[in-house]
Each structure stands twice: as C-alpha cells, then as structure tokens.
Amino acid sequence: MDKRSQDDTQEPNEGSEGIPAPDGPANLIDTDYVIGQDNITSTKFGIDFDLHGKVFTISSLVILFFVIVTLAFQNQVAPVFNAMFSFLTGNLDWFFILAANIFVVLAVVLIFTPLSKVRLGGANATPDFSYAGWFAMLFAAGMGIGLMFYGVSEPLTHFGTSLAGGSSAPLGGAEGNEQAAAQLGMAATIFHWGLHPWGIYAIVALSLALFSYNKGLPLTMRSIFYPILGERVWGWPGHVIDILAVFATLFGLATSLGLGASQASAGLHYLFDTPNTDVTMVILIFAITLVALGSVLAGVDKGVQRLSQLNMALAFLLLIFVIFVGPTLLIATGFFENLWGYAKNLPALSNPFGREDTGFTQGWTAYYWAWWISWSPFVGMFIARVSRGRTVREFLIAVLLVPTLVSILWMTAFGGTAIEQVNSGFEGVKDAALELQLFTMLGQLPLTAITSFVGIVLVMVFFITSSDSGSLVIDSITAGGKVDAPKPQRVFWALIEGAIAIALLLGGGLTALQTAVITTGLPFTLVLLAACYAIVKGLKSEPRTN
C-alpha cells in the first residue's frame, strides 16, 4: 500500500466532498482516484443529478424489478419467501453465528492491543462532540423500531418457550421453572441486542472512519478494501461491494419499516378501532414516507436532527414512565440480574455448532445477525460520522458498551414488566399478536391512552428518521462516496424504501421481510469478514498516540 505522510501543518478542513483531511500525522493512501470522477452529472427537467453510473443504475434497476415482480405476483412469491427462509436459516445458521462471533472477538481484542492508540482523523484530531453528546447519538443509533416491536414480544416469547422447553427454547429452556425461564428468556433477548450487533456495527463504523478520515478515501464501503484490492477497488470489484451494500441496507431498512407499519397499524386499531389490515399498513407506509420526504428536503440539521431529538425525548419519557409506574424494584434489581444472566449464558448462546435448540438459532439468532449485518452500512456510517477525533480504544469501548447497556435497561423495563404481568395472572399480553403486545402491556398501567399514543408516535418517528437517514447513506454510496449529492436522489431512495416495505408486506408479511434480510445479509457477511483483515492492516500503518 503506497502512502504519503500528512504533516501537522495541513488544515483539517482541506478534505474534499465534506470529508475533512487528517489533523496531524496520518498515512494517507496515495491514489489518483478523485471522489465522484466516475459520476454522471446532469440536469434533466430542472432536476440535478450527480450519481455513480454503474452502482446507481444496477442497484435501482434490480430493486425496481424486485418491487414490480413482488407486487404483480403476490400469491406466487409468498411460498418462495417461506422456502428460502427455511433453507437459509436451516442450513446456514452456524455461519451467521460464527461470523458474528468473529466480529465481536475482533472488536474486543483490538481494545487491548497497541492498535487501539490510533486516533480517528489523525494523531492531533480532537473530537467533534462532547462525551455527553457522543453517547446520546450512540444511544439514538441503538434505538429503533426493532426495540419498540420486540421490547415486549421477544422476552415474552423466550419466556414462554423456555417454560415449555424443547428445540424452540433458547438452550433447551427451563421447563416448568418460572424464575429460571424468565432469566433465560431475558438472557436470550439481550444476546440479540447486546454485544454481537454492536460488534458488527463497531467493525463497519471503525473501518469507514479509518479509511475516510485517516486514509483520505471516499466515505463508502469499497474504500475499506483498498488494502486487499488496491486500485482495483475503483473498478468492478468495488462496484460489486457498493451494490451489495445498497441491497443489504435497503432490505434491512425495509424490514424495520414493515415491522413499524404493522405495529403502528395494530396500535391505532387498539386505541381507535381503525381497521388493522394490509390496506391500513400500506397507507401508513405511504403517508410516513411522504413525511420522511419533507424531512429529506429540509436537510439533515433541520430535518433529521429535530426528529431525532423528539425521538430521544419521547423514548426516554416512555422508558422512565414504565420504570416508575411498573414494577420498579423488579426492574432495578432485574437489570443487574439480567446483565449477569447474559454474561453467564453468553458462551452457550454464541456457540455455532452442535446446538439442539435449532428453532431458536434458526428462527431468531440467524435472522437477527443477518438483520444487523444488513443494517451495518447504515448504522456504521452514522457512527463513523460522529466519532472523528476518538481513539480506537475509546471508540470501541463506547460503541460496544453504551448501546448494550441501554438495550439491557429497555428490555428489562418493557419485557420484565410484561413477564411480571403474566406471572401475576394476566394472560392477555401473552396471547396478543406480536405487534400488539407492547400496547397490551401498557394497557395494564395508568394513562393507557396517553402512553399507547406516545408508543405509536415513537414508532412513526423511528420510521421517519430511519427512512430519512437511510436514504442519505444509500445516496452517498450510489453517488460514489459524495456526502452532498443533490436532494432529488435522496427523495428517490426514500420512495424506494417505502415501495420495498409495501411489496414485502403484501408479498408474504413478516416471513418475506425476514427472508429479504437473510438473503441480502448472506453475501454481505462475506464482505464484512474480508473487511476484518483490511481494518487490521489499515490500523497497523497508522501512527499512534501516546
């Protein structure tokens, strides 16, 4: 890898296309490639375009073809989705579990090596945000529609299967033992929302930050592979990597949007008796996508930032309400008990081979790891953008621990409250549909109408911010790494995200959403495994702080 030294006198804002140059000593990669050099820049009908011809064209045409076929042949594609999901999870669950373990182990090992002294953005770079602001944004990245949808339903499901025992129960369950089943159910839930997803995100985010802020390459997935591919990364090998990143991100987002629409529809039916049908969900996706478009057009500062702040405030208020109005002492003690239960069961839960709880590993873990891997370009790019100036060590510690602890608290509060309701004799929350269990749980607490309405608003705002932020990331990838491409391109991708969510919901419901994630997550897992080698090689070439 040819490198040229960056001296201390260069101004930190000399980078191109919104990416600041390194501040202080850093080993920039010496390449003739200029960000956007392969782009098509044009104006048609008064609309500006600035996009990477090959990546944008192939990605958009394949996605549009998928949407049209899925909508045109709804009855025919549903069995195909079911068969694909069963095949992929039934045969490759070990692969997803093993890959996720590799990402977590690499992230943890890097913390304790001299490579952790590398500073993102150059040896003299200073953080763009305070610890409080940085932690808040990591918290925001860790919150999403998934926590709203699964915060009650997943602990309850694992509690029920653990109590019954069998292959669908995590680690075979704890048949007939309510206390042990509750602890195992919470440990299994935290396993899916703790170190493993954040290990995946941390590796992608660290790679993007290193190769953009320290090496001077575009903020796009292909840049990570320069140590492996060299200048070929700007050709077809790089095009394929970016196209896979687009597919993975789009279908990962569509899964979240589909879950959000089904939960918002269920909540509206619960509160206002509106029809809980496919038509309602399609209308919701369409309406919320239009709001997301308004946010896109308003820009990041006025749009995404304000919605994210609203999101954070509402999520915090709802969490505090459940903690203080629900079984407060149980939640307070349960947090530490669940943390210990997670640590105790982590080795067994993360074992990829010889498992007898195949219903759990195939139906839950394999799906989750593919979902997180699909989301990794989206979340990774967000984390990379807000982490310039941090050392690798503080970056990894914060990205692994802060969102994990928040997720444990969230699951303990919402899931623990629901399990306590069941153990106290209320069967309604257990018998409700997955998308309705949050509202059924809130229905047993005071101020039901208010908290349920807040829950619906939260789901919708998560929907909007995910669509908005996702369109920014996908647009950056399909614009050759530019971070300031014309807004009409973001509008296009926001519309496409909504269209995919509608197509998948109508073409097979939850199974179709899960299948899309597994299918796109599989090839992208191979991409990220190769990135593990590239990131170590990239870090070795960087100067380190004292």
Side-chain angles (χ1 to χ4, degrees), residues 156-170 172-178 181:
L156 263 185
T157 300
H158 295 327
F159 166 66
T161 56
S162 295
L163 199 58
S167 64
S168 295
E175 190 173 351
N177 187 331
E178 282 190 357

Side-chain angles (χ1 to χ4, degrees), residues 306-546:
R306 290 176 181 174
L307 285 173
S308 296
Q309 290 169 346
L310 172 64
N311 228 6
M312 288 276 293
L314 288 177
F316 181 75
L317 285 174
L318 188 60
L319 177 63
I320 293 299
F321 174 83
V322 172
I323 289 173
F324 285 102
V325 176
T328 307
L329 182 61
L330 183 72
I331 293 170
T333 57
F335 175 82
F336 298 100
E337 290 174 359
N338 293 336
L339 185 60
W340 166 243
Y342 167 55
K344 181 176 65 175
N345 289 290
L346 183 59
L349 288 167
S350 56
N351 172 30
F353 304 113
R355 299 281 290 269
E356 295 185 1
D357 53 346
T358 52
F360 173 75
T361 59
Q362 295 173 9
W364 286 91
T365 305
Y367 155 62
Y368 265 125
W369 290 176
W371 191 12
W372 303 143
I373 287 166
S374 294
W375 262 66
S376 62
F378 165 43
V379 178
M381 200 169 290
F382 171 81
I383 295 174
R385 285 188 175 187
V386 301
S387 300
R388 186 177 181 274
R390 303 291 174 186
T391 64
V392 169
R393 176 172 291 157
E394 64 180 328
F395 172 89
L396 288 173
I397 290 173
V399 172
L400 286 174
L401 292 186
V402 173
T404 294
L405 292 174
V406 169
S407 296
I408 293 173
L409 179 59
W410 185 277
M411 293 298 182
T412 299
F414 285 78
T417 300
I419 291 173
E420 172 64 16
Q421 290 175 357
V422 171
N423 288 338
S424 299
F426 177 64
E427 297 286 328
V429 65
K430 183 179 71 174
D431 297 334
L434 289 182
E435 61 269 19
L436 198 55
Q437 287 182 329
L438 169 66
F439 303 106
T440 309
M441 182 274 286
L442 291 174
Q444 296 301 298
L445 303 178
L447 306 176
T448 299
I450 296 174
T451 56
S452 295
F453 184 72
V454 169
I456 295 170
V457 172
L458 257 177
V459 170
M460 291 182 176
V461 177
F462 277 131
F463 192 138
I464 295 166
T465 52
S466 295
S467 176
D468 197 343
S469 304
S471 64
L472 289 172
V473 170
I474 295 167
D475 182 41
S476 177
I477 296 172
T478 55
K482 288 192 173 184
V483 294
D484 56 357
K487 288 182 180 178
Q489 294 169 205
R490 299 180 206 164
V491 170
F492 171 80
W493 288 116
L495 291 172
I496 288 294
E497 288 160 23
I500 293 174
I502 290 171
L504 289 171
L505 275 175
L506 297 179
L510 181 59
T511 301
L513 295 169
Q514 293 174 326
T515 304
V517 161
I518 290 279
T519 306
T520 55
L522 178 60
F524 202 65
T525 303
L526 298 172
V527 171
L528 295 192
L529 287 171
C532 291
Y533 168 78
I535 190 173
V536 172
K537 191 169 182 180
L539 285 171
K540 283 183 175 179
S541 68
E542 283 296 302
R544 300 161 197 170
T545 58
N546 295 323

